[in-house]
Amino acid sequence: MNRFENKVALITGSSQGIGAACALRLAKDGCDIILNGHKFDERGEKLIAEIEGMGRKAAFLVADLSKAKEAIKLVTDAVDTFSRLDILVNNAGVEKNANFWEVTEEDYDLVMDTNLKGVFFGIQSFVNYCRKNKVEGAVINMSSVHEEIVFPHFAAYCASKGGLRMLTRNLATELAPFNIRINNVAPGAVSTPINQDLLEDKAQLKKVLQNIPLRRMGKVEDVAGVVAFLASDDAAYVTGSTYFVDGGLTYHYEEQ
């Protein structure tokens, strides 16, 4: 299916995991792709080769999304790369595990700057481009089930995702007159490199799966499929929403 013909997407934090899966899925559906990460390495090279193998264009732009100026520049550089930008997927994010009473200002700033501040100003840059060029854009933010449910020892992360939820809902109203849609995708427990320790700890994994009604970890492709839907015209009447991709975890958790 070629539902993104002549469209370009920027996916932040797309060297691996969910971001890479989103890039491949959008390319499969006909989109040209701008990849992003802290550095360009063999992972980026492999993704570009895969995307070009699908007959799509691909490029990789280096940027640190914890810095607002770099987030803004990333969007303008993405526009310059293929002369347009239609879809922004804010996937880059970090988390830090610590007791609340031991969280450092440095770690707090890194989490909030990457997960919320950089996203805020990246969206702003994209919106300015869309308004100037009369582009009907789509923004998809990679949130988390922890915009809704607690995650002890990850207070800054939860605060950043809770903030992202309200930012998305607020911007859905403010950007609607420009036909710019914005939604969140909130993954639960997904098999990615960041969860490798969990995947190798059978006892802990069993405990996690007991809270998931579908009784399995999510796949990155599960998340990418929802991102592709929200980026497409199939979701033309969807904005301001969060789509939980969690095997039923969120509301099952609340019932415990």
Side-chain angles (χ1 to χ4, degrees):
M1 184 167 60
N2 199 15
R3 59 180 171 179
F4 295 119
E5 187 172 4
N6 299 321
K7 290 194 174 183
V8 177
L10 165 62
I11 301 106
T12 69
S14 45
S15 292
Q16 63 181 8
I18 290 172
C22 291
L24 293 172
R25 176 57 190 267
L26 292 178
K28 180 182 177 182
D29 287 355
C31 202
D32 294 327
I33 304 294
I34 307 288
L35 301 161
N36 157 259
H38 277 279
K39 62 179 180 178
F40 181 56
D41 55 26
E42 65 279 357
R43 298 172 302 176
E45 292 176 354
K46 181 182 177 183
L47 282 168
I48 288 176
E50 287 186 69
I51 293 166
E52 290 179 343
M54 299 177 193
R56 309 315 315 168
K57 293 186 291 185
F60 193 103
L61 298 177
V62 174
D64 178 356
L65 278 304
S66 69
K67 298 177 173 60
K69 288 183 179 180
E70 291 197 32
I72 293 167
K73 186 175 185 297
L74 175 62
V75 173
T76 58
D77 287 348
V79 171
D80 291 342
T81 300
F82 294 140
S83 301
R84 67 177 296 150
L85 187 61
D86 305 274
I87 300 160
L88 173 61
V89 181
N90 290 306
N91 175 73
V94 297
E95 60 183 39
K96 290 287 185 178
N97 182 350
N99 296 321
F100 171 72
W101 49 93
E102 295 173 337
V103 175
T104 65
E105 183 177 6
E106 181 182 20
D107 283 351
Y108 174 89
D109 286 344
L110 175 64
V111 171
M112 296 298 287
D113 287 352
T114 304
N115 296 0
L116 191 57
K117 182 179 177 180
V119 173
F120 185 105
F121 286 102
I123 295 171
Q124 184 187 76
S125 185
F126 180 63
V127 168
N128 285 333
Y129 159 76
C130 290
R131 291 181 64 223
K132 180 180 178 180
N133 294 278
K134 294 181 170 55
V135 172
E136 297 181 359
V139 179
I140 300 96
N141 299 318
M142 199 60 64
S143 184
S144 165
V145 293
H146 300 297
E147 72 166 50
E148 180 73 22
I149 62 177
V150 303
F151 194 15
H153 313 293
F154 290 86
Y157 181 78
C158 291
S160 71
K161 297 304 184 181
L164 186 59
R165 177 185 185 182
M166 183 50 72
L167 177 64
T168 296
R169 293 165 71 181
N170 197 70
L171 292 184
T173 299
E174 192 167 350
L175 302 181
F178 309 111
N179 289 315
I180 300 171
R181 298 183 297 104
I182 179 167
N183 292 284
N184 283 358
V185 174
V190 177
S191 298
T192 64
I194 200 172
N195 284 324
Q196 193 59 42
D197 289 345
L198 170 62
L199 295 171
E200 294 174 356
D201 185 336
K202 291 184 178 180
Q204 185 63 27
L205 179 60
K206 181 180 179 180
K207 184 178 178 181
V208 169
L209 295 180
Q210 286 175 343
N211 284 314
I212 301 173
L214 288 183
R215 292 295 187 266
R216 70 170 176 88
M217 295 282 284
K219 298 179 291 187
V220 291
E221 291 81 8
D222 295 327
V223 182
V226 177
V227 170
F229 162 69
L230 291 172
S232 76
D233 291 339
D234 292 334
Y237 201 52
V238 179
T239 194
S241 296
T242 292
Y243 279 66
F244 291 95
V245 186
D246 65 355
L249 168 67
T250 300
Y251 297 108
H252 176 73
Y253 181 94
E254 289 182 345
E255 292 170 2
Q256 300 303 301

